[in-house]
Amino acid sequence: VADGLVTGELSVEVPREGSASCVVPLSALPKDFPFDRFDWKVTFESEAGRDTLTDEVDVERGLLHALGHMVRIQRQFPDGRYSHHYFGDAYGVRAMFAYLDLLKREPARLECNRDLWNEISSEDIRASGLRFIDMLVGRQNEDGSIPMGYGEHHNVYNVADGGQIALSLGQIAPLLDDAERREACLLF
């Protein structure tokens, strides 16, 4: 991993026409490990030969890809949701606004990943996140409970999920320019 900064090796016997599962212990992670972008390689060796799988982890590119998916999938729902699991969606929306804040502070990031930026804009991301926030705020019951997408037709309210959603909106609130929406998130 990361051009050899992290390594591991394990001998595994795979039965003929079978499969095997194992965990390969890796060396210690150095303090300067490049978490934002690194490569990895796995090599399988046997008497029959050698096979190598390689790829690269690019966190920002992966995030942009995921945000693009969220923007596109939200178009399938007329009310602003992404799925029937609002608590998970709230994690994604929190990432949207954190990333938009990073772009505001470091606009040069828009020059990277041009192929993905050709499919989505920062305004698309912002509009999608705001639409989700507006949906949640508009659906919250007077008693503070939040109808959950997976149980909304049966008046199911999950306290832990609702708490996580409220926490997400509280963390998003300071990143919003619109004072009215910021207040709505804090009241939520």
Side-chain angles (χ1 to χ4, degrees):
V1 179
D3 291 323
L5 283 177
V6 178
T7 60
E9 186 174 328
L10 182 68
S11 180
V12 178
E13 188 171 323
V14 181
R16 182 181 174 97
E17 297 182 21
S19 63
S21 220
C22 64
V23 174
V24 179
L26 299 176
S27 59
L29 209 61
K31 289 182 181 180
D32 62 345
F33 187 83
F35 282 103
D36 58 335
R37 189 176 188 162
F38 59 90
D39 66 329
W40 61 264
K41 174 174 70 172
V42 176
T43 302
F44 301 95
E45 294 180 0
S46 73
E47 294 170 3
R50 172 186 269 198
D51 193 10
T52 301
L53 303 173
T54 62
D55 204 350
E56 181 177 83
V57 174
D58 183 333
V59 173
E60 187 166 5
R61 186 170 178 78
L63 176 64
L64 273 172
H65 181 77
L67 297 181
H69 173 72
M70 289 179 72
V71 168
R72 286 186 299 278
I73 199 67
Q74 188 186 45
R75 294 178 186 140
Q76 305 301 314
F77 296 102
D79 64 357
R81 70 181 70 202
Y82 299 99
S83 75
H84 295 300
H85 297 277
Y86 298 165
F87 65 94
D89 298 340
Y91 284 120
V93 173
R94 185 170 36 186
M96 285 178 165
F97 285 98
Y99 186 64
L100 290 169
D101 183 60
L102 178 64
L103 288 176
K104 189 185 304 182
R105 291 180 281 117
E106 298 179 20
R109 289 179 175 274
L110 292 166
E111 299 307 315
C112 301
N113 298 302
R114 292 303 313 155
D115 58 324
L116 296 176
W117 284 119
N118 287 335
E119 297 175 14
I120 188 174
S121 71
S122 59
E123 282 310 310
D124 293 333
I125 296 169
R126 182 178 316 287
S128 179
L130 292 174
R131 187 169 174 233
F132 180 75
I133 289 169
D134 292 345
M135 183 269 299
L136 283 178
V137 168
R139 292 179 56 92
Q140 187 176 30
N141 296 320
E142 285 185 30
D143 66 2
S145 61
I146 306 160
M148 297 305 299
Y150 52 80
E152 64 192 307
H153 301 297
H154 304 289
N155 294 322
V156 170
Y157 310 102
N158 185 306
V159 175
D161 293 349
Q164 192 287 124
I165 292 167
L167 177 62
S168 290
L169 291 189
Q171 291 173 329
I172 290 168
L175 303 173
L176 298 176
D177 297 328
D178 180 332
E180 189 175 322
R181 273 199 180 106
R182 188 172 42 250
E183 182 66 20
C185 285
L186 293 174
L187 288 173
F188 187 87

